[in-house]
């Protein structure tokens, strides 16, 4: 049981390049999400998904796209990288109870450290 | 807008000391509160989750309390060890615009000195 796996661990991009950050979980969690963590800003939600085929925007969605074709995978795409997207990106997942009210603990991957020059 | 504050930003204690980390939030309409631990270069690990109907949760040497009316939570660590050194974050779960959302504090960096 690997939990939440993120690849790559490190990435350097030039301004304007595109790339996809991969996230996979093997816990059959319905809910998956992407956060970015910046010094002094804390963790901010980029996009999230409550099941295959369903995605929604979080607090800072601009410049990022997501899709959820399977329960296991939730890739994050940077369309045209900018220096402001230099950050550490975390994928997280949790169970999503049918009552849609009670949260369950959030499980995080180890992050992708992205630098855009 | 929900805001979560953790004070102090950093704390250094000698090994064996009992300590309390603080978390405060501005809107008491929360569904739960979670405490996480983050080691350098790693993701967050969930330590304790308190539902809004609960007052506290315990796991080993950790005890988290929740007082919704005052907008406060504390994480109590008993008999601290050097291995407890990490950044501790709290996050409150809310519903905003019909969507579930976790709002994180910026964390308290704890150093336990041998």
């Amino acid at each position: 049981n690997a939990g939440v796996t993120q690849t790559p661990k490190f990435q350097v991009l030039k301004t304007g390049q595109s790339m996809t950050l991969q996230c996979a979980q093997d816990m059959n969690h319905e809910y998956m999400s992407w956060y970015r963590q910046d010094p002094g800003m804390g963790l901010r939600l980029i996009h999230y998904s409550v099941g295959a085929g369903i995605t929604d925007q979080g607090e800072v969605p601009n410049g990022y796209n997501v899709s959820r074709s399977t329960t296991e995978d939730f890739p994050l795409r940077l369309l045209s990288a900018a220096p402001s997207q230099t950050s550490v990106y975390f994928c997280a997942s949790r169970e999503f109870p049918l009552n849609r009210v009670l949260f369950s603990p959030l499980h995080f991957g180890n992050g992708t450290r992205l630098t855009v020059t | 807008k929900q805001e979560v504050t953790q004070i102090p930003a950093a704390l250094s204690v000698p090994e064996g000391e009992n300590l309390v980390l603080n978390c405060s939030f501005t809107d008491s309409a929360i569904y739960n509160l979670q405490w996480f631990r983050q080691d350098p270069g790693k993701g967050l690990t969930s330590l304790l989750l308190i539902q809004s109907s609960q007052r506290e949760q315990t796991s080993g040497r950790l005890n988290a309390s929740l007082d919704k009316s005052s907008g406060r939570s504390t994480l109590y660590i008993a008999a601290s060890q050097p291995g407890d050194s990490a950044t501790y974050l709290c996050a409150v779960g809310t519903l905003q615009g019909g969507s579930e959302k976790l709002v994180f504090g910026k964390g308290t960096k704890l150093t336990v000195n041998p």
Side-chain angles (χ1 to χ4, degrees), chain B residues 21-39:
Chain B
L21 305 180
N22 297 297
C23 173
S24 61
F25 47 94
T26 54
D27 186 348
S28 62
I30 68 171
Y31 281 91
N32 68 14
L33 186 142
Q34 294 184 61
W35 281 94
F36 293 89
R37 169 187 173 133
Q38 185 174 27
D39 293 289

Side-chain angles (χ1 to χ4, degrees), chain B residues 91-102:
Chain B
V92 298
T94 65
L95 277 182
Q96 293 187 8
S99 300
E100 301 169 351
K101 185 176 180 182
L102 274 181

Side-chain angles (χ1 to χ4, degrees), chain B residues 21-98:
Chain B
L21 305 180
N22 297 297
C23 173
S24 61
F25 47 94
T26 54
D27 186 348
S28 62
I30 68 171
Y31 281 91
N32 68 14
L33 186 142
Q34 294 184 61
W35 281 94
F36 293 89
R37 169 187 173 133
Q38 185 174 27
D39 293 289
K42 300 290 188 183
L44 282 67
T45 299
S46 181
L47 297 173
L48 290 165
L49 169 66
I50 312 175
Q51 303 292 356
S52 63
S53 58
Q54 298 174 322
R55 297 282 292 184
E56 65 178 346
Q57 282 284 338
T58 297
S59 176
R61 295 183 292 109
L62 305 179
N63 176 277
S65 68
L66 174 63
D67 184 342
K68 281 178 55 178
S69 61
S70 67
R72 293 180 187 276
S73 175
T74 61
L75 178 67
Y76 174 82
I77 302 177
S80 58
Q81 303 170 358
D84 294 330
S85 297
T87 297
Y88 291 80
L89 295 96
C90 70
V92 298
T94 65
L95 277 182
Q96 293 187 8

Side-chain angles (χ1 to χ4, degrees), chain A residues 50-112:
Chain A
V50 298
I54 306 170
T55 63
D56 208 344
Q57 295 181 350
E59 184 182 356
V60 288
N62 292 340
Y64 308 95
N65 271 0
V66 292
S67 59
R68 184 94 180 270
S69 56
T70 67
T71 299
E72 295 78 20
D73 300 297
F74 190 44
L76 178 73
R77 297 184 189 84
L78 279 69
L79 308 172
S80 177
S84 61
Q85 293 178 305
T86 293
S87 186
V88 181
Y89 291 84
F90 289 102
C91 179
S93 73
R94 63 175 174 84
E95 295 177 348
F96 191 62
L98 288 176
N99 63 15
R100 297 293 196 263
V101 172
L102 289 179
F103 287 49
S104 56
L106 204 55
H107 298 258
F108 280 80
N110 282 332
T112 294

